[in-house]
Amino acid sequence: MRSSSSPWLRHAAVGLSVTAITAFAGASPASASVHRTTEPASLREVTATGQPDGKAPKTPPAQMSTVGGELLGRPGPQTGAGAPALPKDLSALSWIVSDADTGDVLGASNAHWALPPASTLKMLFADTVLPAVPSGTSHKVTPADLEGMGSGSSAVGIVPGQQYKVSDLWRGVFLRSGNDAVHVLAAMNGGVEKTVADMQKRAAELGAKDTHVLSPDGYDAPGQVSSAYDLSLFLRAGLKNKDFTEYCATAEAKFPGGPNTKGKPFAIANTNRMLSGIGGVEKYPGLIGGKNGYTTNAGNTLAEAARRDGRTLLVTVMNPQSQKHDEVYSEMRRLLDWGFSAVGRATPVGSLNPIAPRSAGATAPPGAAGTTHAAAAESSGAPVWVGLGAAVVLAGGAVVFAVNRRKGGTDDTAAG
């Protein structure tokens, strides 16, 4: 890990100080259970649980969604015929490996387990708001723009009364996982309530049926969940947007300074350590980027895209149970390596694409939970994958939930 005396850490800590003071101003000991890490301020996240006992369930539901294929609804690891052996000691509650171009799911475990997403939910925020807020505009931040941020939120260091370019705000979202930047952009989109409703509608459009949005930034809220499958849908959709791809691939940038920096821009580094290489995590060759997250309730969450030999893979990892340092990045690395060895060889176990309805009388593929061959699914009438252009038929509109949020934490070595 780099020393806290490095220039970008000093500047980032200064930038965070204004928002950190604001965020903690209204919090009382009774309203939030605060957890501190031992990392430098610019790398740590102060979090508070959004659940009464502070713990997510550790056993997957007996029945999960089968969107994308029957095998994706089964508990435990699922791989197809021809797939290499899975990496050993994978401890994540949920993970999925897929081909971004074809939509083929190469392997998965509990892909539809609805779990707290932390800041990886910011990918859906970007999918929703990037097209709605013109990139060439700027905005003068008001105190009202930052209202409603949870205590301990990760922040890039936005100062009320200061003018910011929309492009700078998005760098604050993607690099520093700044909930302050999210709230300013949400204000530009018509407010938090509208943005939450827009995000839920966008999730439905993408076929992300495991996702329930209560906050635009991923801050813990009881009932706010997503899944490894849905988060991969959000990343895949985002990569079709030039701005999304540019922001999530940016390792370092300058952010406009405020009074504490005498107006001078300060350096910010991406808290996605596999991209930026901070904290002693080795950069991954061919990594495009993605989004990381951490809260007390969600644990570590991470979605990444990488390209090798003309293939682009998506991997999402949710809540590794191993206590090893940076385990989420270790498991991500091993699953990306596995995916590149499996693509073109392994029979898919599902798809990120819309699927055709099951024909009458078709039965689910046999077999118990565990490693399962997709060939069995084909022979027993499992759904047939259709092309990228297939239409999704969606019923109903997004429901807007009035939220009385408990104090919850945000992101990783940034927040969310």
Side-chain angles (χ1 to χ4, degrees):
M1 181 179 295
R2 294 184 182 179
S3 167
S4 59
S5 63
S6 63
W8 77 261
L9 283 179
R10 291 199 305 270
H11 288 309
V14 167
L16 287 171
S17 62
V18 173
T19 307
I21 293 170
T22 304
F24 278 104
S28 65
S31 64
S33 174
V34 177
H35 170 71
R36 299 177 184 273
T37 75
T38 58
E39 294 187 305
S42 60
L43 287 182
R44 74 178 181 223
E45 181 48 30
V46 181
T47 64
T49 181
Q51 298 293 340
D53 60 2
K55 297 179 181 179
K58 303 303 183 186
T59 304
Q63 293 184 335
M64 291 175 281
S65 169
T66 56
V67 169
E70 293 290 335
L71 299 181
L72 300 183
R74 295 185 180 184
Q78 310 294 325
T79 60
L86 287 171
K88 294 182 179 180
D89 301 322
L90 294 174
S91 69
L93 295 184
S94 174
W95 57 264
I96 186 170
V97 180
S98 56
D99 185 318
D101 298 315
T102 65
D104 289 343
V105 176
L106 305 175
S109 182
N110 307 319
H112 282 292
W113 190 354
L115 295 165
S119 275
T120 48
L121 194 65
K122 288 183 172 78
M123 295 187 297
L124 175 60
F125 173 77
D127 286 338
T128 305
V129 178
L130 263 171
V133 177
S135 60
T137 59
S138 60
H139 178 76
K140 186 175 183 179
V141 176
T142 69
D145 294 341
L146 300 175
E147 288 180 358
M149 282 179 56
S151 64
S153 284
S154 56
V156 66
I158 288 173
V159 180
Q162 190 160 314
Q163 195 94 3
Y164 291 90
K165 295 179 180 178
V166 166
S167 57
D168 286 325
L169 294 172
W170 281 115
R171 291 185 190 98
V173 171
F174 277 91
L175 275 69
R176 297 304 305 168
S177 204
N179 288 5
D180 49 355
V182 168
H183 276 253
V184 173
L185 287 163
M188 297 179 70
N189 186 56
V192 168
E193 185 175 291
K194 177 183 180 296
T195 299
V196 166
D198 290 347
M199 289 170 65
Q200 192 69 62
K201 180 180 178 182
R202 179 61 175 153
E205 291 170 354
L206 293 173
K209 298 184 178 180
D210 302 320
T211 298
H212 181 191
V213 184
L214 293 173
S215 67
D217 49 25
Y219 190 88
D220 279 340
Q224 177 159 268
V225 292
S226 190
S227 66
Y229 184 91
D230 286 6
L231 293 171
S232 292
L233 290 178
F234 303 152
L235 180 54
R236 188 188 190 202
L239 293 177
K240 297 176 183 179
N241 183 301
K242 178 179 176 294
D243 290 336
F244 183 110
T245 303
E246 178 184 341
Y247 293 134
C248 82
T250 301
E252 295 181 350
K254 294 285 187 179
F255 194 80
N260 287 351
T261 63
K262 297 182 179 179
K264 294 182 179 180
F266 57 91
I268 56 175
N270 201 312
T271 60
N272 180 355
R273 301 182 186 192
M274 192 172 280
L275 179 72
S276 64
I278 63 176
V281 175
E282 185 178 351
K283 296 181 181 180
Y284 190 83
L287 192 74
I288 296 170
K291 189 71 193 77
N292 57 317
Y294 174 81
T295 67
T296 305
N297 192 43
N300 285 290
T301 59
L302 180 62
E304 301 277 28
R307 189 164 182 81
R308 183 185 299 173
D309 299 327
R311 300 274 196 166
T312 299
L313 295 189
L314 308 173
V315 177
T316 298
V317 175
M318 301 188 76
N319 202 347
Q321 298 300 287
S322 171
Q323 298 303 306
K324 292 180 181 178
H325 181 62
D326 288 326
E327 180 67 14
V328 70
Y329 294 104
S330 174
E331 296 192 18
M332 172 62 68
R333 185 180 301 274
R334 284 180 278 156
L335 284 169
L336 279 168
D337 288 345
W338 178 87
F340 282 117
S341 68
V343 67
R345 295 174 49 194
T347 302
V349 296
S351 178
L352 298 181
N353 300 326
I355 59 175
R358 180 186 297 279
S359 59
T363 58
T371 302
T372 311
H373 294 304
E378 182 178 353
S379 65
S380 59
V384 179
W385 316 127
V386 298
L388 281 169
V392 183
V393 180
L394 298 170
V399 179
V400 181
F401 291 86
V403 181
N404 179 16
R405 293 194 289 169
R406 301 187 184 189
K407 301 295 181 184
T410 122
D411 191 300
D412 172 276
T413 36

